Amino acid sequence: FVHDIGGIGQIEIGAGSLHGFDAKGLAAHFVDPLAEPVAAGSGVTAFTSLTAGLVIGDGTMHTDNLAMTGKDFQLTLAGRGSVLSGAVDARATLTTADRDVPLVLSGTWREAVVARDDIALRPSLDEAPGKPAVRLPATAPPTAAAPPEAAPPAPPKPAPE
C-alpha cells in the first residue's frame, strides 16, 4: 500500500519546536573536528519558520529545500527518509552567528543520529591556501620510444700489404 502513495507537496509551519536536538548545542559540539556523532535526546530547538518541498513516491519522502529558521540559527537540509523502514539519509548546514556547520543525518525517524560532515569541510585543491592545484591528465600522453642503441663501431680493417 505505501509503495503506491505518491505526490508532491509543500509544507509551511510557523512557530514550533523540534524535539530531540538543540541546534545551538549541535553547532557548539561540532566545532571540535573530532566530535563524536550525537544521537537524538532530550534537546529542543524552537523555530520561527519551517518550510520544505516534499516528493513522496516508492516508499520514500524526499526534500532538497527544507529550511528551518530560529532566533539565532538557520538550518537547510536535503535528503530522504523511508516511509517503510524509517531510515533517514540527509545532509544539512546549520548556520549560527559565528559559523556554518555541515552535518549528516542518519539513523531512523525515531533514533536519528547527527554527525559532522567532514567531507563537506574538505577544501578542493583549488581552494587549498598556498598550494597550487595539480591537474593530472585523464590519460597519460604517449611517450616517444627511445631510439635503439647504435651498434659499437666495427674495428678498423687491417691495411693491405
Side-chain angles (χ1 to χ4, degrees):
F1 171 71
V2 175
H3 281 288
D4 295 333
I5 297 173
I8 298 171
Q10 177 75 23
I11 61 168
E12 295 182 22
I13 300 173
S17 59
L18 171 70
H19 292 260
F21 295 102
D22 170 29
K24 290 186 237 175
L26 287 175
H29 176 74
F30 288 119
V31 167
D32 178 358
L34 302 176
E36 293 291 322
V38 175
S42 60
V44 177
T45 298
F47 58 84
T48 55
S49 169
L50 186 144
T51 61
L54 298 174
V55 177
I56 300 173
D58 295 326
T60 64
M61 185 174 0
H62 175 271
T63 183
D64 60 3
N65 64 356
L66 184 140
M68 181 190 317
T69 303
K71 182 179 176 198
D72 298 321
F73 76 94
Q74 179 168 7
L75 178 94
T76 56
L77 179 141
R80 64 181 180 197
S82 171
V83 178
L84 299 171
S85 69
V88 177
D89 178 26
R91 298 271 185 282
T93 300
L94 176 58
T95 302
T96 63
D98 56 347
R99 66 183 61 102
D100 289 339
V101 183
L103 303 170
V104 176
L105 181 67
S106 61
T108 65
W109 300 113
R110 293 177 189 245
E111 296 178 4
V113 176
V114 177
R116 181 177 150 122
D117 188 356
D118 289 323
I119 292 173
L121 292 171
R122 293 181 191 165
S124 71
L125 289 176
D126 292 334
E127 297 169 354
K131 295 189 178 188
V134 176
R135 301 263 186 246
L136 298 176
T139 58
T143 56
E149 288 188 30
K157 293 185 181 182
E161 297 182 27

